[in-house]
Amino acid sequence: RLTNPGGIVLRPPSDEIAVPDYGVGAANAYFGVVLFFPRVLTGNSAPSRTLEGPQTLLGICAFGIAYDKRHDEILVLSQDSSQYPYVYRISAFAGNASGNTAPLRSISGTDTLLADIHAIAYDESAELLYVSEGGENGIPARVLVFARNANGNVAPDRVIVPNGASFVLPQGITSVYDDLFNDGFE
């Protein structure tokens, strides 16, 4: 069922990989889906489980993913509609969620500044979500930062903008865990 995979994460508790994607239903209607596969799977095989259906709020396409191992949560970027202005969403699901399951939390709305989003990363140490966006379609290049437990139509905690041309089209993003100073001892 892989159509246009938008990333991949490993979920160690179940030894699965999770892949955001889209499916095509009746009358060529697109829908967002997260496909789960056993990590050791090879060949052309069906997913072991999926997240899909209207209660998931995955809209027409799921295209970005991150994993919070401390809380065992899958964090998914999705696009709600194909009509401009596009509506984007960040949804958090329990790591073992399956089927037509509602997210634990969902960030969407005008206050969020989510527009033309590209990628998501999770900083486990600071418990922050980082979303890269913009650089095209008239949307400024920037990184939006949300608290892990943000929910609803909430403004980002921070907005990181480029200094000059330090980044112009932020397609990807990652966070680096610093365990050297994690305990605060210097």
Side-chain angles (χ1 to χ4, degrees), residues 8-12 14-18 36-43 48:
I8 187 170
V9 293
L10 172 66
R11 181 177 179 254
S14 60
D15 202 23
E16 294 174 296
I17 58 170
F36 292 84
F37 300 93
R39 180 186 53 82
V40 296
L41 187 68
T42 61
S48 55

Side-chain angles (χ1 to χ4, degrees), residues 9-13 18 36 51 65-76 91-97 103-105 122 127 129 147-150:
V9 293
L10 172 66
R11 181 177 179 254
F36 292 84
L51 274 172
I65 196 164
Y67 180 65
D68 172 359
K69 69 180 178 181
R70 181 180 299 156
H71 300 98
D72 189 22
E73 292 179 352
I74 305 286
L75 310 162
V76 183
S91 298
F93 296 92
N96 63 356
L104 302 169
R105 295 175 305 283
Y122 179 68
E127 294 195 336
L129 304 172
R148 180 192 77 82
N149 60 355

Side-chain angles (χ1 to χ4, degrees), residues 17-103:
I17 58 170
V19 181
D21 208 331
Y22 70 87
V24 182
N28 289 326
Y30 292 99
F31 60 90
V33 62
V34 178
L35 307 168
F36 292 84
F37 300 93
R39 180 186 53 82
V40 296
L41 187 68
T42 61
N44 185 9
S45 301
S48 55
R49 65 183 166 112
T50 66
L51 274 172
E52 61 186 304
Q55 290 184 29
T56 66
L57 303 180
L58 292 176
I60 64 166
C61 181
F63 60 88
I65 196 164
Y67 180 65
D68 172 359
K69 69 180 178 181
R70 181 180 299 156
H71 300 98
D72 189 22
E73 292 179 352
I74 305 286
L75 310 162
V76 183
L77 295 179
S78 62
Q79 183 176 335
D80 284 356
S81 70
S82 60
Q83 302 298 321
Y84 188 80
Y86 307 118
V87 177
Y88 295 97
R89 180 180 305 276
I90 305 168
S91 298
F93 296 92
N96 63 356
S98 185
N100 189 15
T101 303

